[in-house]
Amino acid sequence: MLRRYVMVLFGMSCVTVVLIHHSANLNCPVPTRKRISTNCTEAIYRDVHVSNSDGPSTLDDIYITVRTSRKFHESRVAPIVQTWFNLARKQTYIFTDGDDDKLNETTGGHIINTHCGQEYNRPHLSCKTGTVFDKYLASGKKWWCRFDDDNYVNPPRLVNLVNGYNWTQDICIGKLSVPSYTANYRGRPEIYQFAHGGAGCCISRPLALKMQPWCGREKLVETTEDVGRHEDCTLGFIITNRLKIDLTLTDLLHSTRESLRDLNPGTLHEQVSIGQGPGNTVNLDQAKNAKIFSHDVDPTRFITLHCFLYPTSSICKA
């Protein structure tokens, strides 16, 4: 059975109700501190029916997103597309801030230009993440698992992770950044926690629906400015402070805030996500039966890691 959504579009001169299967209009103006534009439509999603509510979740029940920027398509996105993306081609979408026809063709149309701007600042990043949020809601899937462009993701292990929890409940699976943060929200100090965006996190559909008053392409820009933090912090603020939902913590998500060289190669088959950064990558030099690619060919170590986990992949025969 299918899950469908009603999207109510509010314009300056009319109200239109449509049955939606895709995202809201992505051609809104670049966000500013105030509301982006009164001409830019808003989308309100309401569950009409729950699909596939029985049985364990599959890869098709997960909307996997990668947020990046046009300048990182070659250095960060290309290694993803060469490796783990091929294990979840239908389920993974890459959100960016510039067109790339070649990469879009390679990924089968899974490159989405958010038109949010290319600066690394709160408005542009929040616009990107808010656009991803809207697109997820329109997908009808049980889980939204969001990652950055410096994450290697193991899709089968991701499925195993979310199946440890009841997707019909309010769940946010992540890795705690610090024990707590304080935000000056509308003149009042508010304590909250957040799952570090650099390690990835997964949010269940019921929780995402409750987040709508503060999320979405326009609303998340406003909320991040009210909170005074970047969007991963703000998502945590919405979840743990506004909605009073505790984070569900896991040690299977890894970001560059850790020393990735210290990860035991014997446990890599169990991990869900592993980050990479300059001078901070997974070390497989001493791993048994690992095919080691040179740093010139594989600076992110994603190809080496992928071939360690999936040695029969075509890229490993090079």
Side-chain angles (χ1 to χ4, degrees):
M1 301 180 70
L2 295 175
R3 181 197 300 258
R4 299 177 185 271
Y5 303 87
V6 175
M7 184 174 78
V8 184
L9 302 180
F10 299 90
M12 289 293 291
S13 60
C14 65
V15 176
T16 304
V17 180
V18 298
L19 186 64
I20 186 166
H21 295 278
H22 302 289
S23 66
N25 177 21
L26 301 187
N27 295 315
C28 303
V30 175
T32 62
R33 171 62 183 89
K34 295 181 180 180
R35 197 163 190 80
I36 297 176
S37 171
T38 55
N39 288 316
C40 182
T41 58
E42 286 185 55
I44 300 174
Y45 301 90
R46 297 183 178 89
D47 274 341
V48 176
H49 204 286
V50 175
S51 63
N52 299 324
S53 58
D54 296 329
S57 295
T58 68
L59 194 57
D60 282 336
D61 293 315
I62 307 174
Y63 193 76
I64 304 172
T65 65
V66 176
R67 195 190 67 186
T68 189
S69 184
R70 180 64 179 83
K71 62 183 177 181
F72 294 128
H73 285 189
E74 183 175 349
S75 61
R76 297 185 182 184
V77 178
I80 289 174
V81 173
Q82 289 177 298
T83 58
W84 68 263
F85 175 83
N86 292 301
L87 301 175
R89 290 183 66 89
K90 294 194 305 179
Q91 299 82 10
T92 304
Y93 292 84
I94 299 168
F95 289 77
T96 185
D97 49 35
D99 292 326
D100 190 330
D101 293 338
K102 182 179 178 181
L103 187 59
N104 197 44
E105 181 179 357
T106 301
T107 60
H110 282 221
I111 301 295
I112 299 174
N113 184 355
T114 62
H115 300 282
C116 285
Q118 300 181 351
E119 298 298 322
Y120 191 83
N121 58 31
R122 280 203 298 263
H124 290 181
L125 294 175
S126 301
C127 175
K128 281 184 185 178
T129 301
T131 302
V132 178
F133 178 84
D134 287 339
K135 188 74 170 178
Y136 161 66
L137 288 183
S139 75
K141 293 182 181 287
K142 298 177 182 178
W143 293 96
W144 170 31
C145 293
R146 57 184 296 266
F147 299 95
D148 283 344
D149 57 8
D150 58 358
N151 289 135
Y152 178 93
V153 180
N154 191 339
R157 294 300 301 170
L158 181 63
V159 174
N160 186 74
L161 175 68
V162 299
N163 271 321
Y165 306 96
N166 184 347
W167 77 272
T168 65
Q169 297 180 353
D170 298 328
I171 303 290
C172 176
I173 308 169
K175 191 156 193 175
L176 196 63
S177 178
V178 297
S180 66
Y181 264 85
T182 301
N184 185 17
Y185 182 69
R186 297 180 177 177
R188 294 182 56 182
E190 299 280 358
I191 297 174
Y192 68 100
Q193 293 181 316
F194 76 96
H196 182 51
C201 72
C202 293
I203 294 174
S204 66
R205 182 166 203 83
L207 177 55
L209 289 168
K210 291 178 181 177
M211 294 166 64
Q212 286 185 93
W214 302 274
C215 281
R217 182 181 175 91
E218 297 183 31
K219 293 177 183 177
L220 188 58
V221 175
E222 296 175 354
T223 308
T224 53
E225 291 303 313
D226 287 339
V227 175
R229 302 284 186 179
H230 279 301
E231 85 295 334
D232 56 347
C233 299
T234 302
L235 291 178
F237 175 82
I238 295 167
I239 293 167
T240 65
N241 184 282
R242 299 293 89 184
L243 296 175
K244 309 300 182 185
I245 304 297
D246 292 333
L247 299 178
T248 299
L249 304 181
T250 179
D251 289 327
L252 300 177
L253 303 169
H254 302 277
S255 75
T256 54
R257 293 175 67 93
E258 308 169 47
S259 176
L260 298 170
R261 293 181 60 85
D262 294 337
L263 284 175
N264 182 353
T267 69
L268 292 180
H269 289 85
E270 304 170 8
Q271 309 305 322
V272 174
S273 71
I274 299 172
Q276 67 84 21
N280 188 15
T281 59
V282 64
N283 181 18
L284 287 168
D285 292 344
Q286 306 302 319
K288 186 178 180 180
N289 299 323
K291 182 175 182 178
I292 308 299
F293 290 79
S294 71
H295 282 265
D296 289 339
V297 173
D298 182 27
T300 65
R301 313 316 288 154
F302 280 7
I303 299 175
T304 300
L305 174 59
H306 189 71
C307 292
F308 176 70
L309 298 175
Y310 300 98
T312 61
S313 298
S314 59
I315 195 174
C316 306
K317 300 174 183 177

